[in-house]
Amino acid sequence: MQDSHKTSTLNNFRKAVQAGEFLVTAEVAPPKGGNITHTIEMAATLKGRVHAVNITDGSRAVLGMSPLAASAILLQHGIEPICQFACRDRNRIGLQADLMGAHALGIRNILALTGDPVKAGDHPDAKAVFDLESIRLLQLIRNMNQGVDFNHKTLNDGALDLFAGAAVDPQSKSWSGLQSRFEKKIEAGAQFFQSQLITDFEKLEKFMDQIASRYNKPILAGIFLLKSAKNAQFINRMVPGVNIPDHIIERLEKAKHPLQEGMKIAAEQVQMARGLCQGVHIMAVKKEEAIAPILDLAGVEKVS
């Protein structure tokens, strides 16, 4: 009997990684509610411009639709997803169940995350799980790809075929901690890395030269669309480890059209990242329609 999902499964991102192409991914948030129309529309603007679209899993611990469901729906529309899996809300039984479900639905790309703390979000009194964290989740995915579960018991109905990635923060204050966790994620099976938003490209270059260069795994630099000076100042206050430089905030303040200036800044950052690493991961919260124009400004060609 033919696997009904085999022909519909998209593997363009994995193929692009293996071919050494310059990688482009972007982030789209799932809806808060049952109507996914807007998410589909935003993801559709990225067709032919990115290799895959990240669907977030309760980013900042804010409620949203299951990324598994949203990713499956995007796949039905011919859009390749990277389904984020955070450990905050599920124990090892729930994580394994959802990973098997992802495989059965034709979802192949997984971003393994520990997850933001509950108190940062819109349900601060919720009970956090954190049975695993990102490194152990990567190990779990590797085991399931080899046909065994968390307890090393055989998956009687077949191994999985998931392409797992992880997050990295080249701007981490602890250089030894950054190196240690990055190497542990490599050892656990991470095949690609998407970074937190980059504002210090000298630190990115140092990370690429002194740590990442030892391994043949692609790093996608996080590029964030700043919509205004107020938006940049808010991020500086609220996002740990991020320091948007004063000269960028001043550019946004002086701009007649701040959003357009923010798009120019993002395009410049894409070009800087292109000289340092193998890809970019673009985040344009509630302005996903700006991602394709940013790529045009940066001179990034359409993906095959």
Side-chain angles (χ1 to χ4, degrees):
M1 180 178 176
Q2 185 179 8
D3 180 355
S4 61
H5 293 289
K6 198 167 186 178
T7 55
S8 66
T9 298
L10 298 175
N11 288 286
N12 295 335
F13 178 67
R14 189 188 318 207
K15 290 175 183 175
V17 168
Q18 293 169 345
E21 295 179 25
F22 182 75
L23 304 166
V24 184
T25 60
E27 199 163 280
V28 174
K32 184 178 180 178
N35 187 344
I36 198 171
T37 302
H38 181 70
T39 300
I40 294 169
E41 289 172 351
M42 290 301 97
T45 68
L46 301 172
K47 268 190 175 182
R49 300 314 312 263
V50 305
H51 292 94
V53 174
N54 276 55
I55 297 294
T56 57
D57 185 7
S59 179
R60 294 173 290 111
V62 173
L63 175 65
M65 180 183 286
S66 158
L68 184 60
S71 294
I73 292 168
L74 289 195
L75 199 58
Q76 291 171 358
H77 286 79
I79 300 164
E80 182 165 356
I82 297 175
C83 184
Q84 296 188 2
F85 267 67
C87 298
R88 178 191 56 243
D89 304 324
R90 290 166 290 213
N91 65 15
R92 65 195 68 182
I93 299 172
L95 285 166
Q96 289 177 101
D98 281 349
L99 288 165
M100 288 187 282
H103 175 90
L105 289 165
I107 297 163
R108 292 294 179 264
N109 308 311
I110 304 293
L111 189 73
L113 302 169
T114 298
D116 297 315
V118 165
K119 292 193 181 301
D122 59 355
H123 287 67
D125 295 327
K127 185 175 182 181
V129 180
F130 292 118
D131 185 25
L132 305 181
E133 45 71 53
S134 58
I135 294 170
R136 295 180 76 197
L137 177 56
L138 286 165
Q139 293 168 343
L140 172 62
I141 293 169
R142 182 185 60 196
N143 288 348
M144 297 183 82
N145 282 344
Q146 294 171 351
V148 295
D149 67 12
F150 185 88
N151 296 321
H152 294 277
K153 293 185 177 179
T154 302
L155 297 175
N156 295 327
D157 295 305
L160 307 190
D161 178 27
L162 300 175
F163 192 62
V168 64
D169 183 8
Q171 298 166 148
S172 173
K173 291 181 180 178
S174 171
W175 188 255
S176 60
L178 167 62
Q179 181 171 352
S180 174
R181 284 191 65 78
F182 180 77
E183 291 176 347
K184 285 177 180 176
K185 288 177 180 181
I186 293 278
E187 186 180 346
Q191 300 299 311
F192 65 94
F193 289 84
Q194 292 174 321
S195 91
Q196 309 292 352
L197 75 96
I198 298 294
T199 55
D200 189 332
F201 284 82
E202 289 183 4
K203 286 186 178 178
L204 174 62
E205 184 174 15
K206 180 182 177 183
F207 167 74
M208 294 302 302
D209 289 344
Q210 297 186 19
I211 298 178
S213 62
R214 304 174 196 173
Y215 306 93
N216 188 28
K217 301 297 179 186
I219 310 296
L220 284 74
I223 307 296
F224 192 91
L225 172 61
L226 299 168
K227 298 184 277 292
S228 66
K230 186 177 179 180
N231 178 220
Q233 290 162 345
F234 175 82
I235 290 168
N236 272 350
R237 285 196 312 272
M238 302 302 293
V239 182
V242 172
N243 180 28
I244 297 166
D246 290 340
H247 69 87
I248 288 181
I249 295 175
E250 288 171 8
R251 274 182 68 176
L252 292 165
E253 282 178 335
K254 293 177 181 177
K256 187 175 180 181
H257 301 289
L259 177 60
Q260 292 179 13
E261 191 67 23
M263 291 169 64
K264 289 179 184 177
I265 292 167
E268 292 165 9
Q269 292 177 333
V270 169
Q271 291 171 329
M272 286 190 284
R274 195 165 193 172
L276 298 173
C277 57
Q278 197 186 325
V280 289
H281 174 60
I282 304 179
M283 297 163 276
V285 179
K286 296 183 179 179
K287 281 290 178 185
E288 291 90 349
E289 68 273 14
I291 293 173
I294 288 169
L295 292 169
D296 288 335
L297 285 171
V300 176
E301 297 178 358
K302 293 184 177 181
V303 303
S304 55

